[in-house]
Amino acid sequence: MASWLDKVNWQENGLVPAIAQDAKTKRVLMVAWMNREALRLTLEKGEAVYWSRSRGKLWHKGEKSGHVQKVLEIRLDCDADVILLMIEQEGGIACHTGRESCFFTRLEEGEWRAVDEVLKSPDEIYRKS
Amino acid sequence: MASWLDKVNWQENGLVPAIAQDAKTKRVLMVAWMNREALRLTLEKGEAVYWSRSRGKLWHKGEKSGHVQKVLEIRLDCDADVILLMIEQEGGIACHTGRESCFFTRLEEGEWRAVDEVLKSPDEIYRKS
């Protein structure tokens, strides 16, 4: 395996968090997890591939929704334990709720409030013809 | 304790990752960890407080370097397991290496390369008179 993958400081469970940031809007869209294979595939495909902890398998983002993430740049932090992807977000929607970003909830007066609009309903996103 | 803290989906170890994003430059500056007390103190102080996993204690960012992070906004993602802070970075430097962002390393032709400049030497940052 390529040595650049060895430079990543994988956690004990073999994962690291990966942030997807929109290269155009600069919004932080989501955070998911990657294992070695997910990161390797991300580079190979030029599209974000994560490790789904809930499903226990590789997750090519957008495989169901069509909301793939074209990867323009891959960065690593100074501790080598967090990945940052600069991406182009297909459809302008990263979140399964139909919003641009998964970070649509803001703390206001002691409450978490959803402050970003739903651009497309999840029913529409995940309905297959 | 306030109920908004209960809405966070703390991991088994009581932590969640927290991203600091510069509200002005929009750069992702760093990722650290927070426990319940760190998040509570972050709101209380209006400055980022993390949990240092290596030192096993609360870490008021900037306590040594002076590079405190004034928190303008606290967001939570759709799974409630990642925090996003929109911040003003004192000194314009978040990284202990003296760079704006901890994500100064980029994958280029199969190698991680440091591509961002050092704005201030660590010796200078951490030297106390």
Side-chain angles (χ1 to χ4, degrees):
Chain A
M1 284 243 203
S3 63
W4 65 277
L5 289 165
D6 295 326
K7 299 270 171 69
V8 178
N9 197 0
W10 305 101
Q11 295 186 1
E12 280 176 30
N13 59 8
L15 305 176
V16 292
I19 304 167
Q21 182 176 19
D22 191 298
K24 201 169 50 188
T25 69
K26 302 288 191 269
R27 276 202 73 175
V28 173
L29 300 184
M30 57 180 279
V31 170
W33 296 81
M34 284 190 178
N35 63 6
R36 200 180 165 93
E37 182 66 359
L39 182 53
R40 193 189 66 75
L41 284 169
T42 294
L43 179 67
E44 187 179 289
K45 290 181 190 293
E47 294 180 354
V49 177
Y50 302 105
W51 176 259
S52 168
R53 293 183 302 174
S54 58
R55 288 177 284 160
K57 62 175 191 173
L58 289 167
W59 165 37
H60 182 186
K61 166 73 180 166
E63 60 194 1
K64 287 185 186 153
S65 62
H67 296 153
V68 299
Q69 298 178 328
K70 185 178 171 189
V71 176
L72 307 182
E73 198 172 284
I74 302 177
R75 286 184 176 240
L76 186 64
D77 76 345
C78 55
D79 295 330
D81 60 3
V82 183
I83 301 285
L84 175 63
L85 305 178
M86 298 303 293
I87 64 148
E88 279 179 24
Q89 177 60 61
E90 181 66 32
I93 295 173
C95 188
H96 73 288
T97 65
R99 294 177 175 90
E100 179 189 5
S101 165
C102 293
F103 293 91
F104 58 83
T105 304
R106 186 164 64 194
L107 187 61
E108 292 180 352
E109 298 162 12
E111 282 182 32
W112 297 107
R113 290 191 188 144
V115 293
D116 297 344
E117 62 180 333
V118 173
L119 303 174
K120 197 172 181 179
S121 80
D123 279 357
E124 203 179 337
I125 294 172
Y126 295 100
R127 185 173 53 207
K128 289 293 166 196
S129 56
Chain B
M1 285 244 204
S3 63
W4 65 276
L5 289 165
D6 295 326
K7 299 269 171 70
V8 178
N9 196 2
W10 306 101
Q11 295 185 3
E12 281 177 29
N13 59 9
L15 305 176
V16 292
I19 303 167
Q21 182 176 18
D22 190 296
K24 199 168 52 187
T25 69
K26 302 288 191 264
R27 276 202 73 175
V28 173
L29 299 183
M30 57 180 280
V31 171
W33 296 82
M34 284 190 176
N35 62 6
R36 202 180 163 92
E37 182 66 359
L39 182 54
R40 193 189 67 73
L41 285 169
T42 294
L43 179 67
E44 187 179 289
K45 289 181 190 292
E47 294 180 353
V49 177
Y50 303 104
W51 175 260
S52 169
R53 293 184 301 173
S54 58
R55 288 177 285 160
K57 62 174 192 175
L58 289 166
W59 165 38
H60 182 186
K61 167 72 181 168
E63 62 195 1
K64 287 183 186 156
S65 62
H67 295 154
V68 300
Q69 298 177 329
K70 184 177 173 191
V71 175
L72 307 183
E73 197 173 286
I74 302 177
R75 287 184 176 241
L76 186 64
D77 76 346
C78 54
D79 295 330
D81 60 4
V82 183
I83 301 284
L84 175 63
L85 305 177
M86 298 303 293
I87 64 149
E88 278 179 22
Q89 177 61 63
E90 181 67 31
I93 294 173
C95 188
H96 72 289
T97 63
R99 294 176 174 90
E100 178 189 6
S101 165
C102 293
F103 293 91
F104 60 81
T105 304
R106 186 163 66 195
L107 187 61
E108 293 180 351
E109 298 163 12
E111 281 181 32
W112 297 106
R113 291 192 186 142
V115 294
D116 297 344
E117 61 179 335
V118 173
L119 303 173
K120 196 172 182 181
S121 79
D123 278 359
E124 204 178 338
I125 294 171
Y126 296 100
R127 185 175 51 209
K128 289 290 167 199
S129 54

